Amino acid sequence: MQGRQAGTALLLLLAVVVAALPAPSLGWGVDGHLIICEIAQGRLSDAAAKAVNDLLPSGAGGNLSSLCSWADRVRFRYQWSAPLHFIDVPDNVCNYSYDRDCKDEEGVKGRCVAGAINNYTSQLLTYGSSSLSPSSKSSGQYNLTEALLFLSHFMGDIHQPLHCGFASDRGGNTIDVHWYRRKTVLHHVWDVNIIQTAEKDYYDEGAGEFVDALNKNITGAWSDKVQEWEECAKSQTACPDKYGSESIAAACNSAYKGVTEDSTLSDAYFGSRLPVVNLRLAQGGVRLAATLNRIFG
Ligand SMILES: [Zn+2]
């Protein structure tokens, strides 16, 4: 009896310990994805907006941003999807190569965020082509609603610099730091903390004003660069490799730079890295829209 009680107590303790462990971080936080999808929604062509509205579940009201974190919410139910949120590059290598790096831990090729973007883009290209299926939400072999939600999420993830980070620290997930006085990991600083601090300091705690500010830059200060952001080489529909290469460069030049285990990151880091986060959120939104416009155009 005693042994059984001790066993139960141990199990309970284990459950508490497991619950207290930080969940592995798999993407921009909810606000980062929301910001990217809000920017994209406002840039959709009529044809793309119509297709998106058709593919989204009816409760979404045609609004992509409410479902851009769906892929994170299903990562336990769809365990196969976990490696699709990121790319690991070899330690201290500041470039990315699809052939070398786009694989999961078992070495299965294409199972990384860039491969996932290519895959869901090709699935969505079957939209409207099926004469077999009575519903446009499925093209027979694919669930196009899920394909749209995955693509919209992964286009965000690939723009988070530490989603194309070093393998041994899992994109900064094993680097303990303090964000001001709070204990966290470097990856989480880039997923969540920089965005939250910006919202608190500049945007009245809200993502909406953050989106407005980025949109103002997209049509203003950055307007001469937007076309280049949108373009893919060789008339590709999606070009995630370019975004992954930019991310590992930003990870080396900005996210990892000067950070060691137990660093305290505060005003100086926030002030110098926020412009990088702003740029990546804007590029993510612009490129998600451009990709959806190409798919449904
Ligand atoms: Zn993710």
Side-chain angles (χ1 to χ4, degrees):
M1 204 50 195
Q2 224 172 18
R4 211 163 121 193
Q5 272 173 353
T8 309
L10 190 69
L11 271 180
L12 271 174
L13 181 71
L14 201 67
V16 170
V17 168
V18 168
L21 288 173
S25 198
L26 290 176
W28 294 107
V30 170
D31 280 10
H33 283 291
L34 184 120
I35 288 166
I36 286 169
C37 283
E38 287 259 326
I39 292 170
Q41 181 99 35
R43 302 177 63 83
L44 294 179
S45 65
D46 288 348
K50 195 164 166 289
V52 165
N53 187 45
D54 180 33
L55 290 177
L56 284 176
S58 45
N63 187 0
L64 198 55
S65 59
S66 62
L67 285 164
C68 277
S69 293
W70 171 85
D72 279 336
R73 293 200 297 273
V74 297
R75 69 186 196 239
F76 294 110
R77 189 153 38 106
Y78 292 170
Q79 282 190 9
W80 51 266
S81 69
L84 305 183
H85 292 253
F86 60 90
I87 295 162
D88 280 339
V89 305
D91 292 353
N92 303 310
V93 169
C94 291
N95 58 58
Y96 152 74
S97 146
Y98 184 93
D99 288 334
R100 184 190 65 203
D101 305 324
C102 191
K103 53 185 178 353
D104 63 17
E105 282 180 340
E106 278 79 50
V108 181
K109 277 204 79 175
R111 290 195 21 92
C112 81
V113 65
I117 288 171
N118 289 332
N119 176 35
Y120 290 114
T121 297
S122 359
Q123 291 193 15
L124 286 169
L125 282 168
T126 67
Y127 174 79
S129 69
S130 174
S131 54
L132 297 171
S133 169
S135 162
S136 51
K137 296 192 184 194
S138 137
S139 58
Q141 50 180 328
Y142 305 125
N143 178 330
L144 295 185
T145 298
E146 293 195 355
L148 174 66
L149 297 183
F150 274 128
L151 178 68
S152 302
H153 181 89
F154 294 145
M155 281 293 282
D157 278 349
I158 200 168
H159 282 83
Q160 206 277 51
L162 287 176
H163 274 247
C164 196
F166 301 145
S168 72
D169 62 42
R170 298 180 165 267
N173 268 302
T174 66
I175 302 176
D176 294 317
V177 296
H178 281 83
W179 180 249
Y180 293 86
R181 291 161 73 178
R182 187 181 295 186
K183 211 168 158 9
T184 182
V185 295
L186 182 62
H187 189 95
H188 192 261
V189 166
W190 282 77
D191 269 353
V192 173
N193 298 114
I194 295 174
I195 292 174
Q196 266 180 3
T197 302
E199 287 174 350
K200 188 157 79 57
D201 286 3
Y202 305 125
Y203 303 120
D204 204 19
E205 308 267 349
E209 288 188 31
F210 203 155
V211 171
D212 292 343
L214 292 173
N215 274 332
K216 218 171 258 172
N217 275 333
I218 289 168
T219 53
W222 295 329
S223 60
D224 56 335
K225 301 190 180 98
V226 167
Q227 199 188 340
E228 189 208 314
W229 294 352
E230 291 176 325
E231 276 167 5
C232 288
K234 295 174 249 157
S235 65
Q236 296 161 306
T237 309
C239 44
D241 290 340
K242 176 171 147 187
Y243 318 150
S245 299
E246 293 167 354
S247 272
I248 182 58
C252 286
N253 297 330
S254 181
Y256 284 124
K257 197 164 198 175
V259 179
T260 52
E261 179 73 11
D262 286 328
S263 287
T264 293
L265 310 177
S266 53
D267 285 344
Y269 192 90
F270 173 61
S272 54
R273 272 57 169 196
L274 179 59
V276 180
V277 170
N278 286 339
L279 180 72
R280 297 307 277 164
L281 292 172
Q283 289 177 323
V286 164
R287 285 160 168 174
L288 173 57
T291 305
L292 292 172
N293 290 343
R294 281 190 287 267
I295 290 171
F296 298 118

